[in-house]
Amino acid sequence: MPLDNSIEFLPLKIAVLTVSDTRSLADDTSGQILVDRLTKAGHILADRAIVRDEKPDLTTQLTKWIQDQEVQVIISTGGTGLTGRDITPEVFHSLYDKEIEGFGEMFRLISYKIIGTSTLQSRATGGVAGGTYMFALPGSNGACKDGWDNILSEQLDIRFRPCNFAEMMPRLIE
C-alpha cells in the first residue's frame, strides 16, 4: 500500500518490552531489532525494559507505560507461546479496553507464509488500553522482523493509506 507523502510523518513514542527469564540488554537481540527498526523509521524510543515471565512484574510494567503520557505504543517480544511460563497474552488481555483481533490474525497469516503451520504456536496479540496501543510479538528475531516490517511499520505511520492506527490515536479515549 502507498504512503501519502503530502502528509507529514508523525513520530510516535514507542516503548519496547522483552518478556524473558534469561535475557539481558546485552543479549536481547529481538528487543534490539525492534528498537533499531522503530528508530530507523523515525519514531522515538520512549523506554525499554526486560521483565521476567511473571504476571505481577509484567502487569506492573505495562500499567506504568499505559499511564505514562510519554508512551503511545508498547511493543513486547516474548512470552506468547504455549508453555506454562508463557503468560504475555493473558496479561495483555487483562489490560485491554479493546482487542485488535486482526493483529494476531494478520501476524499468523504472514508467519504462515514463512514457517507454515508452526505459526499455530504463536499467540501474538494487539489491543488498546488507556489510549495506548499494545502489541505482543513472539520472542524470535524473525517474528519481530515480520511483525514490524509487515504490519507495524505501516500501521504506525500516519502517511499509510487507506488508513492506519496512528491517525486514530487522538480518538482512542473518546
Side-chain angles (χ1 to χ4, degrees):
M1 290 289 167
L3 292 180
D4 181 347
N5 288 313
S6 70
I7 299 170
E8 186 175 340
F9 178 77
L10 175 67
L12 301 180
K13 298 171 188 165
I14 303 173
V16 174
L17 179 64
T18 299
V19 182
S20 174
D21 289 335
T22 60
R23 299 272 185 223
S24 68
L25 283 177
D27 64 3
D28 177 22
T29 55
S30 58
Q32 191 60 49
I33 285 168
L34 292 170
V35 169
D36 291 345
R37 277 170 158 69
L38 74 89
T39 55
K40 182 177 180 186
H43 296 293
I44 299 161
L45 179 63
D47 202 359
R48 182 175 180 186
I50 298 176
V51 297
R52 295 178 49 82
D53 291 281
E54 298 289 344
K55 286 183 182 182
D57 297 346
L58 182 52
T59 301
T60 298
Q61 183 62 60
L62 290 171
T63 301
K64 174 185 165 193
W65 282 343
I66 291 166
Q67 295 172 349
D68 186 342
Q69 297 301 308
E70 294 301 309
V71 176
Q72 298 171 297
V73 180
I74 299 166
I75 306 173
S76 76
T77 174
T80 63
L82 300 172
T83 72
R85 300 283 299 153
D86 292 325
I87 48 89
T88 302
E90 287 78 12
V91 174
F92 270 56
H93 283 99
S94 74
L95 296 170
Y96 287 158
D97 297 323
K98 293 185 179 182
E99 183 177 6
I100 306 169
E101 291 89 350
F103 177 79
E105 295 164 358
M106 180 64 63
F107 178 82
R108 284 180 285 281
L109 174 67
I110 291 164
S111 184
Y112 176 75
K113 295 174 184 178
I114 299 165
I115 64 170
T117 59
S118 294
T119 194
L120 290 171
Q121 297 178 33
S122 167
R123 297 185 304 139
T125 184
V128 178
T132 301
Y133 283 114
M134 302 171 62
F135 303 101
L137 296 170
S140 74
N141 290 350
C144 290
K145 290 174 185 176
D146 295 340
W148 179 267
D149 295 349
N150 297 300
I151 305 171
L152 294 173
S153 66
E154 294 176 349
Q155 283 298 301
L156 297 178
D157 189 330
I158 199 162
R159 303 169 298 170
F160 183 76
R161 295 290 163 237
C163 57
N164 58 74
F165 291 147
E167 67 189 355
M168 288 189 287
M169 291 192 79
R171 300 182 55 217
L172 293 178
I173 54 172
E174 290 180 326

